[in-house]
Amino acid sequence: MSKDNERAVLAGGCSWIMQQLLRHRDGVISTRVGWMGGEGDNPTEMTNGGHAEVVEVIYDPDRLSYRELLEYFFIVHRPDLGSDVVETIYRSEIFHTSEAQRVIAEETICDVDASGHWPGKVVTRVTQAGRFLVNPPKDQDYLQRFPVGCPAPFPRQSEAGGVSQVFDPTV
């Protein structure tokens, strides 16, 4: 990582989908999927110790501010999902790496809530970043290697009028 680049760690549902959506944002240098926010050293989907699936984003702050990254994050995932998701690996959480990031995250959440963009109240947590447990190579860049590897997070209407349940990572 260049000394001028910055790091963000975001949890917003399936990390494979989040990685694919975040990687294409101008100013993003690299992304990795992994785990953060729980106990233990070897989390899995079934035995996660309270960790969330996360994406570590390395970005160029001269091209993409932290606020802009968070605004995009709040567009591409559901930050208003209730208690059925809040305590899971798929929860919405921002792991801040500095006091400045914490302040920006909290301000952004207030603004997103006030915007009415999502039907419910934003439940995204803001937490001090801890140890990032990187996923093995087989889980990195998953949707670039397997483009139809998981269902669409938000079903889309097809041009023929039907609903597409397959995630198209090129959109």
Side-chain angles (χ1 to χ4, degrees):
M1 181 168 92
S2 166
K3 67 177 179 151
D4 296 328
N5 293 335
E6 293 186 16
R7 175 180 179 245
V9 183
L10 306 170
C14 173
S15 60
W16 292 341
I17 293 171
M18 289 304 299
Q19 180 183 38
Q20 190 65 10
L21 293 169
L22 292 168
R23 77 170 357 115
H24 295 293
R25 190 73 177 162
D26 183 49
V28 170
I29 307 301
S30 66
T31 59
R32 295 189 302 171
V33 296
W35 300 88
M36 189 176 282
E39 302 294 325
D41 294 335
N42 298 305
T44 67
E45 189 172 11
M46 301 308 290
T47 58
N48 54 68
H51 286 287
E53 287 192 8
V54 298
V55 179
E56 176 189 62
V57 180
I58 305 302
Y59 65 99
D60 178 349
D62 291 333
R63 293 173 41 212
L64 177 68
S65 72
Y66 187 64
R67 170 71 187 222
E68 291 167 327
L69 178 62
L70 293 184
E71 288 172 352
Y72 184 69
F73 170 69
F74 281 113
I75 291 170
V76 299
H77 88 290
R78 289 292 306 268
D80 65 325
L81 296 177
S83 60
D84 56 331
V85 176
V86 168
E87 298 299 326
T88 74
I89 63 175
Y90 303 116
R91 64 188 179 260
S92 178
E93 192 161 358
I94 298 168
F95 294 93
H96 64 87
T97 62
S98 68
E99 181 63 15
Q101 279 191 355
R102 183 192 65 75
V103 170
I104 292 167
E106 290 174 353
E107 290 172 352
T108 305
I109 289 170
C110 287
D111 292 344
V112 169
D113 241 350
S115 77
H117 180 78
W118 294 107
K121 179 173 175 31
V122 172
V123 297
T124 304
R125 295 178 182 165
V126 178
T127 308
Q128 174 69 45
R131 189 169 49 126
F132 176 70
L133 302 167
V134 65
N135 275 358
K138 70 178 181 65
D139 289 328
Q140 301 299 326
D141 308 311
Y142 188 84
L143 289 176
Q144 285 198 320
R145 293 180 291 118
F146 303 102
V148 292
C150 54
F154 307 113
R156 292 186 170 89
Q157 290 287 84
S158 71
E159 290 181 20
V163 174
S164 170
Q165 294 296 326
V166 176
F167 176 64
D168 183 354
T170 62
V171 173

